[in-house]
Amino acid sequence: MGDMEDPDRPRDPPNPSVLSLLINKELLSSRKGQLLLGEVASSFICFVCFCASAAVAFVTAPLVFFLSALFLLFAYSTKFNQRFKGFHWPLMDFLRCVSASIVYFIISIMAVSKFGDGSSKAAGVFGFIATIVFALDFYFIFNELANFLKGGGSHDEPQNTRGNSLPVIFPLVLLLPHSHCRFIRELISLSPL
């Protein structure tokens, strides 16, 4: 009789530290949350299919993109991105999605064309699905960044006094060949102070 709870006794409130680790419902109802959840699911399915296939050499890419999508889902869910302003989160997310869609497209073509077993074909098909999900995500991120740079900045991003293009252009300078850096420097010098 001591095992059963008294239905009249009020329950203890849930532990707030555990609740902060759970996924936020408003994130899952947003487009970004649904895309991140699709990225996590498609990357995990690709990872499992590549583990069981003859194309096991490609297993690293789905694992890396699964973990990165899971980290960003956790970061956006716990609002870690708002507390840690050290990174330009939309640009980092954009570069992650672009690289993931390119890599998934390449390994999916190779898995479908070079390997004949069924799990390699399934991994290729789910890789194409992951390519579409990541491409949709970087398309929406690109549109948001383009609107922000045109002057329609959102309230989430801090306003820059030297022009809105500097936070995005400066990290891209590091990726460009040296011959293109002169053009970017001229573009930055033309921005209003």
Side-chain angles (χ1 to χ4, degrees):
M1 292 278 171
D3 296 358
M4 296 177 55
E5 288 188 23
D6 185 18
D8 297 333
R9 191 179 123 226
R11 294 183 179 177
D12 294 332
N15 191 354
S17 63
V18 174
L19 287 179
S20 66
L21 296 177
L22 296 177
I23 295 176
N24 194 351
K25 286 185 180 180
E26 42 184 76
L27 176 71
L28 288 181
S29 64
S30 70
R31 179 177 60 198
K32 181 66 180 172
Q34 291 172 354
L35 284 171
L36 275 172
L37 199 58
E39 291 170 6
V40 168
S42 62
S43 295
F44 182 72
I45 292 171
C46 270
F47 172 71
V48 170
C49 289
F50 275 119
C51 283
S53 71
V56 75
F58 301 131
V59 77
T60 306
L63 178 64
V64 168
F65 294 127
F66 167 71
L67 292 176
S68 66
L70 192 64
F71 169 72
L72 279 179
L73 181 67
F74 175 75
Y76 286 139
S77 171
T78 59
K79 305 216 185 305
F80 180 71
N81 59 334
Q82 293 175 356
R83 289 182 285 181
F84 187 66
K85 302 267 185 192
F87 292 112
H88 188 55
W89 287 90
L91 180 64
M92 185 175 70
D93 197 16
F94 176 75
L95 292 175
R96 177 190 65 89
C97 290
V98 167
S99 62
S101 63
I102 291 170
V103 169
Y104 268 124
F105 186 69
I106 291 170
I107 65 172
S108 297
I109 288 175
M110 291 182 70
V112 168
S113 65
K114 288 181 88 175
F115 299 97
D117 60 327
S119 55
S120 293
K121 304 281 186 199
V125 169
F126 282 112
F128 286 125
I129 293 171
T131 300
I132 292 169
V133 172
F134 279 101
L136 277 173
D137 197 8
F138 86 72
Y139 172 75
F140 290 130
I141 294 170
F142 178 77
N143 282 340
E144 290 172 6
L145 285 175
N147 289 338
F148 178 73
L149 290 176
K150 285 180 184 175
S154 66
H155 300 288
D156 297 338
E157 295 292 327
Q159 293 296 321
N160 193 350
T161 57
R162 293 194 56 193
N164 289 336
S165 60
L166 287 180
V168 175
I169 290 177
F170 181 72
L172 293 178
V173 171
L174 301 175
L175 300 174
L176 292 174
H178 185 65
S179 61
H180 297 294
C181 290
R182 188 183 66 182
F183 171 72
I184 299 297
R185 280 190 220 118
E186 290 173 6
L187 185 67
I188 291 174
S189 66
L190 294 176
S191 66
L193 293 174

